[in-house]
Amino acid sequence: MTPDEIARLPYRPCVGVMLVNAAGEAFVGQRLDQLYDAWQMPQGGVDKDEDPRDAALRELEEETGVTRDLVTIEAESTQWLPYELPHDLVPKLWKGRFRGQQQKWFLMRFNGSDDQVNIATAEPEFSNWQWMPVEQLLDSIVPFKREVYTALLKEFEAHL
C-alpha cells in the first residue's frame, strides 16, 4: 500500500484499559505475536453499537480474565486518542482496512488479587504479564503507541 492509500483509511474504533493495582502499578502484557520485548496495556476493538465502557470491561475480561466485579472505573479519557500503525503493518492487520486505531481509555482500579488474573483465556493475547511502575510504561511499549500513552498518563495523572 502506498502512503496516500494508507492516509485515506479510517481508524479502527478501540478501547484501552489502564488497570492499576493498590500500589499504583499498571497491568501490562507481552503480546503473543511479538518477537521482541514490548509490553502493552489491555485494548481491543469496539463492536458495532457497543458502548465504549462495556467494550472496555469486555476486553479486560477477554484478555486478562479480570471480571467487572473486580474493578472500579475511576476515569475515562476525555477524547479518543489516535495512533498510526507503521506502514509495513497496515496491510497485515485487520485485512488492511485501517491506518491505526482511535482509542477511548479507561482507568480502572483492580480490587482483586493476582491469582484472579488469568491470561490463559479462550483466545489468549499475552504470553506474560506483570505489574509495572507507571514511570516505566513509556520505555517499555512499542514506539508507535508512545504518544497515546503519554497523553493518557498526563490525563490520568491525578488518579495515579
Side-chain angles (χ1 to χ4, degrees):
M1 297 181 83
T2 68
D4 286 342
E5 290 171 326
I6 292 171
R8 288 192 293 272
L9 292 173
Y11 290 104
R12 177 179 181 246
C14 178
V15 291
V17 176
M18 183 175 197
L19 182 68
V20 294
N21 64 13
E25 300 164 315
F27 175 98
V28 291
Q30 195 165 31
R31 291 190 57 88
L32 277 170
D33 58 3
Q34 297 297 326
L35 301 175
Y36 48 88
D37 191 30
W39 300 85
Q40 74 174 43
M41 293 186 280
Q43 64 174 50
V46 179
D47 294 336
K48 188 178 186 324
D49 298 324
E50 185 176 32
D51 176 76
R53 183 177 288 243
D54 291 333
L57 291 164
R58 175 184 53 75
E59 284 291 337
L60 180 66
E61 184 170 0
E62 286 177 3
E63 294 186 7
T64 70
V66 173
T67 54
R68 65 182 59 222
D69 61 307
L70 296 175
V71 300
T72 305
I73 298 176
E74 294 190 352
E76 176 180 336
S77 62
T78 55
Q79 298 178 30
W80 289 78
L81 304 169
Y83 73 82
E84 307 279 335
L85 287 170
H87 283 190
D88 63 313
L89 291 182
V90 172
K92 298 174 186 172
L93 297 176
W94 312 300
K95 301 177 183 173
R97 295 182 322 217
F98 303 102
R99 66 197 272 183
Q101 297 194 97
Q102 185 165 283
Q103 301 178 311
K104 175 64 102 166
W105 280 86
F106 295 85
L107 174 65
M108 298 186 194
R109 185 73 55 185
F110 182 55
N111 302 313
S113 58
D114 286 1
D115 64 336
Q116 292 172 297
V117 175
N118 177 18
I119 60 171
T121 60
E123 294 181 35
E125 296 215 12
F126 299 127
S127 60
N128 195 10
W129 73 276
Q130 67 175 307
W131 294 110
M132 181 176 285
V134 173
E135 57 274 5
Q136 291 179 16
L137 284 173
L138 295 179
D139 291 331
S140 303
I141 59 162
V142 292
F144 62 88
K145 292 183 183 180
R146 284 196 182 123
E147 192 172 318
V148 167
Y149 276 47
T150 298
L152 76 95
L153 286 171
K154 184 176 180 183
E155 186 164 354
F156 291 162
E157 183 176 31
H159 301 278
L160 297 174

